[in-house]
């Protein structure tokens, strides 16, 4: 196990063991324990009382964070020529089709989100081995396969993220930067938590929100009280 640095030990000492913090208190505390010289990412991890192996307990969705992610999201719009101007006007970083399909086939994946049209999905199928493991495959359920290309690009650029419960029953998501104000972190965290609650599968039994942890890139995780969010 890696040894903690002096700064990490100091940060850990500020977090009370076995204490469950309110979202407001955790957000404020997170800003005081973050000590990296760069603008750390703020992440949330929510353990759900579901069995992801069962289709009727899968939790997946999208949420638009009120204050965005603080990250410059690089968007690739794979569209036909008649939609290129719309995608560019909305702020897509890369726009095109066949040239980019070939680049992806050759291993290029230097983007965060790919948005495309229903008619193009057939061409993306063979690239599943490249895009799937990186979470880049467009999906109608997350709004990344649509005819409203401009709208989709704008939403992603303004803070729309998609999430999916992993095989251990945890949803991980980046919800901002440590340079955000504590209230901005609260708002973003609250938005994704409430979205998860709305997505509770009817087949899920017992406690649904089992635990919530808030952390930044280099800081220890802070446990939240699920009843105080």
């Amino acid at each position: 196990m890696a040894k903690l640095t002096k700064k990490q030990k100091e940060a850990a000492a500020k977090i009370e063991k076995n204490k469950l913090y309110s979202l407001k208190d955790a957000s404020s505390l997170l800003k005081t324990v973050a000590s990296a010289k760069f603008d750390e990412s703020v992440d949330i991890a929510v353990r759900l009382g579901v069995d992801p192996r069962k289709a009727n307990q899968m939790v997946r969705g999208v949420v638009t964070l009120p204050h965005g992610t603080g990250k410059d999201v690089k968007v690739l719009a794979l569209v036909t020529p008649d939609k290129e101007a719309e995608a560019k006007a909305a702020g897509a970083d890369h726009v095109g089709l066949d040239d980019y399909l070939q680049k992806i086939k050759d291993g290029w994946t230097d983007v965060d989100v790919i948005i495309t049209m229903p008619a193009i999905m057939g061409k993306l199928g063979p690239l599943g081995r490249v895009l799937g493991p990186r979470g880049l495959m467009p999906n109608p359920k997350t709004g990344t396969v649509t005819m409203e290309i401009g709208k989709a690009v704008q939403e992603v650029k303004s803070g729309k993220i998609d999430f999916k419960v992993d095989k251990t029953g945890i949803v991980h998501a980046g919800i901002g930067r440590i340079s955000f104000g504590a209230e901005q972190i609260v708002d973003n965290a609250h938005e994704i938590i409430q979205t998860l609650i709305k997505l509770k599968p009817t087949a899920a039994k017992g406690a649904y929100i089992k635990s919530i942890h808030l952390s930044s890139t280099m800081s220890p995780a802070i446990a939240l009280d699920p009843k105080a969010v």
Side-chain angles (χ1 to χ4, degrees):
M1 185 175 177
K3 292 184 178 180
L4 295 177
T5 65
K6 181 180 178 181
K7 286 186 176 180
Q8 288 174 325
K9 288 180 180 178
E10 291 175 351
K14 294 179 182 178
I15 302 172
E16 291 185 40
K17 290 184 179 180
N18 303 318
K19 178 176 178 177
L20 296 178
Y21 290 83
S22 68
L23 178 54
K24 182 178 180 180
D25 289 343
S27 298
S28 297
L29 179 58
L30 188 65
K31 288 182 64 64
T32 67
V33 299
S35 58
K37 295 181 179 179
F38 59 91
D39 194 7
E40 299 177 54
S41 171
V42 174
D43 305 301
I44 194 168
V46 184
R47 182 181 292 278
L48 302 176
V50 298
D51 184 349
R53 295 171 299 177
K54 298 179 179 178
N56 63 354
Q57 293 190 44
M58 173 56 64
V59 177
R60 179 173 189 169
V62 295
V63 62
T64 298
L65 301 175
H67 305 289
T69 62
K71 178 182 178 181
D72 181 19
V73 181
K74 288 185 285 186
V75 177
L76 165 61
L78 293 174
V79 296
T80 50
D82 60 302
K83 285 286 187 177
E84 288 186 0
E86 181 182 339
K88 290 177 181 177
D93 301 271
H94 306 280
V95 181
L97 186 54
D98 292 335
D99 288 350
Y100 282 103
L101 290 174
Q102 185 60 49
K103 286 182 69 173
I104 294 170
K105 187 177 180 180
D106 294 338
W108 178 80
T109 56
D110 189 23
V111 293
D112 299 302
V113 177
I114 297 176
I115 294 171
T116 192
M117 306 156 62
I120 307 298
M121 282 303 291
K123 295 185 177 183
L124 284 177
L127 301 176
R129 291 183 179 180
V130 178
L131 301 177
R134 294 167 177 77
L136 290 173
M137 182 61 79
N139 188 312
K141 293 181 179 179
T142 61
T144 49
V145 180
T146 176
M147 288 302 294
E148 296 183 88
I149 298 297
K151 179 182 177 183
V153 171
Q154 289 176 340
E155 287 179 342
V156 169
K157 284 287 190 177
S158 65
K160 180 180 178 180
I161 61 172
D162 65 276
F163 54 83
K164 180 181 179 182
V165 66
D166 66 17
K167 61 182 180 181
T168 63
I170 300 175
V171 170
H172 298 271
I175 59 167
R177 295 283 171 175
I178 205 65
S179 58
F180 280 21
E183 285 301 318
Q184 291 177 305
I185 296 174
V186 168
D187 290 345
N188 281 359
H190 184 266
E191 191 70 24
I192 191 170
I193 292 169
Q194 293 305 310
T195 300
L196 285 170
I197 291 173
K198 292 176 184 176
L199 292 173
K200 179 182 179 181
T202 55
K205 305 299 180 184
Y208 176 56
I209 304 289
K210 288 195 167 185
S211 67
I212 306 173
H213 287 84
L214 206 60
S215 64
S216 64
T217 307
M218 304 297 289
S219 78
I222 301 173
L224 275 64
D225 182 354
K227 298 178 182 178
V229 295

